[in-house]
Amino acid sequence: MSRLPTPLTLPDHGPEHNGHNDRTTHDSTRDAASSARGKRPRPGGPRRRARGESATAWAFVSPSVLIILGLSVIPVAWSLLLSFQADDLVTPSRWVGLGNYRALAQDPHFGQAVRNTLLYTALYVPLSIGLGLLLALVLNQRIRLVGVYRTLIFVPFVISATAQGVLFSFILDPEFGAANSVLHKLGISAQGFLTDPGQALLVLVAISLWSGTGFCVVVTLAALQDVPPSLIEAARLDGAGRWHLLRHVILPALTPVMVFLLLWQTINALQVFDLVYVTTKGGPLGSTTVIVYFIWEQAFKNFTAGYGAAAAYALALALLLIGAVPRVTRAVRGRRENHRLEGAAR
């Protein structure tokens, strides 16, 4: 059996020594308490630190906030107030309420601008998406120099609309343009193009297709490359041809991208302005006057700023409704799906 160590004890030095130890312990306790009171945080310290941090954060954020307020929020609110006034930006304004909006409903020039914009949109949007899908399907194949072809198709999209307008104004000039020179060599009579009321809007659509299709090609091509190859191989093993493969496999996989392109191209078409301003100035005979050009003309040419602001908010309301369509559709589909699942569960 092992021997346990003997416990060590401190010797007792008597009551005097115990009293000295008690005083020492009391003094040390009192010193610790006083030092603890000295280190105690002052009232309001964390709050003061939080205020300092908030002030520093606002100092960094305030320039961006001022820019946003000055360039977006304040102009939007001011233009909304302006749409209820008769204002020429020179003399004092006069409150007319909904008078500007009533005048818009009866203005034949505004009605013509709306028709031109809707026709432009109806032609440009489906053609750009359709051509983009067709070119994307071709460029998705393994062909030689495919990277060069993709670049050449996308380059016109990078060129500004102002440069496009100047370029095609020279090419389509009815007297000295290269287009009529080529038609003359082919034995075709000269065309008016941008100076012909029956052709001007169609020519603008063609110019927009030349530049805007590249964006649709790039987006659709990226979506095509994300289609799972297993789905395509399974469809081919089941005997699906090219048409069935496109209709039942590829197009359903591209549906979200097609919806995005539809909204994007529609919004851009409704806001077209710079190409019209550079090429036709809304003519000839108002055949290319679109809504945004009508707004600019009323506000900065005719100096009826309130009337132009009312037209701008009519366009903004239309864009808001177009943007809300996917959300409403998604919500309706979700409710129908929930009702169907609940009915199946019962």
Side-chain angles (χ1 to χ4, degrees):
M1 183 174 180
S2 62
R3 184 177 178 182
L4 297 175
T6 304
L8 297 177
T9 58
L10 293 176
D12 188 6
H13 295 283
E16 295 180 358
H17 189 64
N18 291 338
H20 175 71
N21 289 340
D22 293 340
R23 286 193 302 271
T24 303
T25 303
H26 178 71
D27 294 341
S28 61
T29 303
R30 183 178 58 188
D31 294 340
S34 62
S35 62
R37 286 193 300 269
K39 294 182 179 179
R40 183 179 300 172
R42 296 179 179 179
R47 295 180 181 177
R48 188 177 304 172
R49 191 179 304 111
R51 293 195 195 99
E53 293 177 354
S54 299
T56 304
W58 277 109
F60 283 105
V61 174
S62 57
S64 300
V65 173
L66 292 177
I67 291 174
I68 293 174
L69 290 175
L71 298 180
S72 60
V73 178
I74 294 178
V76 168
W78 179 73
S79 60
L80 178 61
L81 182 63
L82 188 64
S83 67
F84 298 103
Q85 301 176 2
D87 194 341
D88 58 0
L89 300 178
V90 179
T91 60
S93 60
R94 179 171 53 87
W95 185 266
V96 295
L98 298 176
N100 288 326
Y101 294 95
R102 297 191 190 98
L104 279 177
Q106 301 174 359
D107 190 349
H109 298 289
F110 181 71
Q112 184 184 21
V114 171
R115 289 192 298 270
N116 291 336
T117 306
L118 293 179
L119 179 59
Y120 176 87
T121 303
L123 292 175
Y124 170 69
V125 173
L127 286 176
S128 63
I129 296 176
L131 289 175
L133 176 60
L134 179 61
L135 292 174
L137 290 173
V138 174
L139 296 177
N140 197 36
Q141 307 296 324
R142 294 181 180 180
I143 57 179
R144 189 178 181 182
L145 301 177
V146 65
V148 177
Y149 301 145
R150 293 174 181 175
T151 303
L152 291 177
I153 291 175
F154 185 71
V155 163
F157 176 74
V158 183
I159 301 175
S160 66
T162 303
Q164 297 172 27
V166 173
L167 174 64
F168 281 97
S169 294
F170 284 107
I171 294 176
L172 301 175
D173 187 89
E175 297 181 3
F176 308 104
N180 274 332
S181 178
V182 172
L183 293 179
H184 178 71
K185 292 180 179 180
L186 296 176
I188 303 175
S189 60
Q191 303 295 318
F193 295 118
L194 295 173
T195 59
D196 187 350
Q199 299 178 3
L201 188 63
L202 300 178
V203 172
L204 290 181
V205 172
I207 297 173
S208 301
L209 288 175
W210 176 76
S211 62
T213 304
F215 177 77
C216 297
V217 171
V218 171
V219 175
T220 308
L221 185 60
L224 282 173
Q225 295 177 353
D226 286 339
V227 177
S230 58
L231 295 178
I232 299 177
E233 293 297 330
R236 288 176 177 174
L237 291 175
D238 290 339
R242 291 184 178 180
W243 170 250
H244 292 86
L245 186 65
L246 175 64
R247 180 181 178 184
H248 299 287
V249 178
I250 296 178
L251 289 181
L254 297 180
T255 299
V257 174
M258 293 293 106
V259 173
F260 163 74
L261 287 177
L262 178 63
L263 291 175
W264 181 268
Q265 297 294 83
T266 301
I267 292 174
N268 286 335
L270 292 176
Q271 298 182 96
V272 62
F273 168 75
D274 39 11
L275 184 61
V276 175
Y277 180 80
V278 174
T279 54
T280 63
K281 295 270 192 295
L285 301 177
S287 59
T288 59
T289 300
V290 292
I291 295 179
V292 179
Y293 186 83
F294 176 85
I295 295 170
W296 175 87
E297 192 175 36
Q298 295 299 322
F300 302 104
K301 190 176 180 180
N302 299 335
F303 294 101
T304 53
Y307 193 59
Y313 269 91
L315 175 61
L317 180 60
L319 295 177
L320 181 62
L321 293 177
I322 292 174
V325 167
R327 294 181 176 272
V328 175
T329 304
R330 193 180 301 113
V332 171
R333 288 182 179 177
R335 291 180 180 179
R336 290 180 180 177
E337 186 68 19
N338 292 335
H339 288 316
R340 187 180 65 82
L341 293 176
E342 291 177 359
R346 292 176 183 177

